[in-house]
Amino acid sequence: MGSIEEKVDLESDEEIPFSGSQTSNKMQSLSFETSHILSHPKFSASWVLRKVNRVSILRSIYIVLIKAKINVLLPFGPLAIMLHYLTKKHGWVFFFSLLGITPLAERLGYATEQLACFTGPTVGGLLNATFGNATEMIISMYALKNGMIRVVQQSLLGSILSNMLLVLGCAFFCGGIVHHHKVQVFNKATAIVNSGLLLMAVMGILFPAVLHFTHTEVHKGKSEIALSRVSSCIMLIAYAGYLFFQLKSQSNLYSSLDEAEANNDEDSDDDEVPEITHWEAITWLAVLTLWISILSGYLVDAIQGASDSMNMPVAFISVILLPIVGNAAEHASAIMFAMKDKLDITLGVAIGSSTQISMFVIPFCVIVGWFMGKPMDLNFQLFETATLFITVLVVAFMLQEGQSNYFKGLMLILCYLIVAASFFVHIDPSNDDD
């Protein structure tokens, strides 16, 4: 035994210097080759950086513009622009513009979610709601510039109705079907705060309409607009206070449940890792917003012609069709989070988006119309105001328990179908603004 061990030791002693020298030789040759390659003008550091950046850009383009299945609708945007100049058929231009904006709105929501990965959950939800409403805001600005006041009012109203009934209803329904064995819960306190803000928005929209239809204005035609502008300033102040309350004062109220969910889901890293960098996300937000703004111009120009050619009321197009396209991002993300049993994020997307439109986008359009010299006001007419009031009450009752199930979602979807049928047979009484 002793001789065998000595033999092994001798063999190892003999092999160590040989292997060490061989390794050092290999390392020297490798470092020589590496330095030789890097010293070569073709393989300089700037060349390597250019190659890496090119691969990164191509990868980003593939992820954003090719990977998602909804991107098959992207060619309809350029096709709509071609039809606008070649055929002047407003029905087809409107239809193809609608199809072309749909994937852009969804990709805008995706880029926002990627950017939200680098922020906290509360700021991420605010970003999602803000850029999720970018499509509606761009369409509203184009319509306001063209003097189509009723299209602005009805499209923003339709966006609120779509988010509160269709988006939230589909999210509750799909989440309830997937998690049928348990009751899904959400933060009741935040839902009540949002419901209060929505009721305040209803108040701001209701009084100009009541003033108009009761014929009790001090100065006919002027008091209504003056009241709308004052109410809009007050609503903007209230929304600024809400943001401070959400992000600074009571941030623990909004982030506690999200942090608890994040701790519970540490083992599942499905969508927690961002696919693109934050600078790429910011760049894509700018590019997609620009492309949506271009298509929105053609879409707004074709609304009246599409209404005539398809024999469809402008009110139905503005309240039902336009918001479905604008809410594509909210619709997809709200359903996805509900199926993952993250209802607080679902409510932040759906109800948060409705709150932002009613308390920020609508008053902002009134103020912008004031500077443009356009008579944009908060008088949404009696039919639209009553629809919004009933919708806010229904949703507030659905949220007061802090629980959801598939039947609540089904009721919200059916309520939206009633609203859609109502606007299909509704003729707008004031056509002087269109």
Side-chain angles (χ1 to χ4, degrees), residues 166-228:
L166 184 62
V167 174
L168 190 63
C170 290
F172 278 2
F173 182 78
C174 295
I177 293 295
V178 172
H179 302 280
H180 62 276
H181 56 280
K182 68 172 186 177
V183 177
Q184 290 186 291
V185 296
F186 52 85
N187 192 347
K188 186 166 62 173
T190 58
I192 291 175
V193 170
N194 282 300
S195 299
L197 280 172
L198 288 169
L199 285 172
M200 181 181 176
V202 170
M203 180 186 294
I205 293 172
L206 180 65
F207 284 127
V210 171
L211 191 69
H212 175 81
F213 285 100
T214 55
H215 305 288
T216 55
E217 299 173 89
V218 176
H219 303 287
K220 186 173 177 60
K222 295 182 179 179
S223 299
E224 176 188 333
I225 295 179
L227 176 62
S228 298

Side-chain angles (χ1 to χ4, degrees), residues 152-396:
V152 176
Q153 293 176 332
Q154 290 173 339
S155 63
L156 293 178
L157 171 77
S159 185
I160 298 173
L161 299 177
S162 174
N163 274 309
M164 296 182 69
L165 295 177
L166 184 62
V167 174
L168 190 63
C170 290
F172 278 2
F173 182 78
C174 295
I177 293 295
V178 172
H179 302 280
H180 62 276
H181 56 280
K182 68 172 186 177
V183 177
Q184 290 186 291
V185 296
F186 52 85
N187 192 347
K188 186 166 62 173
T190 58
I192 291 175
V193 170
N194 282 300
S195 299
L197 280 172
L198 288 169
L199 285 172
M200 181 181 176
V202 170
M203 180 186 294
I205 293 172
L206 180 65
F207 284 127
V210 171
L211 191 69
H212 175 81
F213 285 100
T214 55
H215 305 288
T216 55
E217 299 173 89
V218 176
H219 303 287
K220 186 173 177 60
K222 295 182 179 179
S223 299
E224 176 188 333
I225 295 179
L227 176 62
S228 298
R229 290 169 178 171
V230 171
S231 299
S232 296
C233 294
I234 295 173
M235 291 163 72
L236 289 174
I237 293 172
Y239 187 71
Y242 165 70
L243 291 181
F244 179 79
F245 176 81
Q246 183 182 17
L247 298 176
K248 295 291 183 182
S249 176
Q250 299 290 330
S251 59
N252 58 333
L253 180 67
Y254 288 84
S255 61
S256 58
L257 286 180
D258 289 332
E259 291 173 358
E261 287 177 5
N263 293 331
N264 292 334
D265 297 335
E266 281 180 351
D267 53 340
S268 62
D269 50 350
D270 298 335
D271 57 341
E272 303 300 327
V273 179
E275 294 183 322
I276 57 178
T277 65
H278 66 287
W279 286 114
E280 289 174 346
I282 293 172
T283 303
W284 280 115
L285 284 176
V287 171
L288 292 170
T289 303
L290 178 63
W291 183 227
I292 288 174
S293 64
I294 293 173
L295 273 184
S296 297
Y298 295 96
L299 181 70
V300 170
D301 291 339
I303 286 178
Q304 188 61 52
S307 173
D308 297 334
S309 62
M310 294 188 294
N311 197 20
M312 189 178 294
V314 176
F316 182 80
I317 292 176
S318 303
V319 177
I320 304 301
L321 295 185
L322 291 182
I324 287 178
V325 172
N327 292 334
E330 290 99 324
H331 212 145
S333 59
I335 292 176
M336 178 186 68
F337 286 124
M339 293 175 69
K340 292 181 179 180
D341 199 19
K342 297 182 178 181
L343 280 186
D344 288 296
I345 305 179
T346 296
L347 286 176
V349 172
I351 303 299
S353 179
S354 300
T355 304
Q356 190 175 65
I357 291 175
S358 59
M359 294 297 293
F360 174 72
V361 179
I362 291 177
F364 181 75
C365 288
V366 173
I367 302 301
V368 171
W370 187 5
F371 286 106
M372 284 184 178
K374 306 290 184 181
M376 173 72 185
D377 57 12
L378 294 178
N379 179 15
F380 279 41
Q381 303 297 326
L382 196 60
F383 187 83
E384 288 85 349
T385 305
T387 305
L388 177 62
F389 181 54
I390 298 298
T391 298
V392 171
L393 285 182
V394 169
V395 174

Side-chain angles (χ1 to χ4, degrees), residues 51-218:
K51 285 293 183 181
V52 171
N53 290 333
R54 189 177 301 173
V55 171
S56 178
I57 292 172
L58 292 177
R59 178 178 170 276
S60 179
I61 292 174
Y62 169 76
I63 291 174
V64 177
L65 297 182
I66 301 175
K67 186 178 178 181
K69 294 180 181 178
I70 197 172
N71 288 331
V72 298
L73 299 177
L74 284 175
F76 286 104
L79 183 60
I81 297 176
M82 289 176 57
L83 287 175
H84 174 79
Y85 291 106
L86 295 179
T87 65
K88 301 291 184 180
K89 292 185 177 180
H90 297 289
W92 287 108
V93 173
F94 175 81
F95 180 68
F96 286 145
S97 298
L98 215 60
L99 290 179
I101 288 179
T102 302
L104 295 175
E106 193 277 334
R107 291 287 87 188
L108 193 69
Y110 168 80
T112 307
E113 290 173 4
Q114 294 297 302
L115 184 60
C117 291
F118 300 96
T119 63
T122 305
V123 178
L126 184 63
L127 282 173
N128 208 333
T130 302
F131 281 98
N133 294 327
T135 305
E136 292 95 325
M137 203 162 183
I138 292 170
I139 293 175
S140 299
M141 289 297 106
Y142 270 97
L144 190 61
K145 183 181 178 182
N146 293 340
M148 304 171 73
I149 308 296
R150 292 296 292 155
V151 171
V152 176
Q153 293 176 332
Q154 290 173 339
S155 63
L156 293 178
L157 171 77
S159 185
I160 298 173
L161 299 177
S162 174
N163 274 309
M164 296 182 69
L165 295 177
L166 184 62
V167 174
L168 190 63
C170 290
F172 278 2
F173 182 78
C174 295
I177 293 295
V178 172
H179 302 280
H180 62 276
H181 56 280
K182 68 172 186 177
V183 177
Q184 290 186 291
V185 296
F186 52 85
N187 192 347
K188 186 166 62 173
T190 58
I192 291 175
V193 170
N194 282 300
S195 299
L197 280 172
L198 288 169
L199 285 172
M200 181 181 176
V202 170
M203 180 186 294
I205 293 172
L206 180 65
F207 284 127
V210 171
L211 191 69
H212 175 81
F213 285 100
T214 55
H215 305 288
T216 55
E217 299 173 89
V218 176

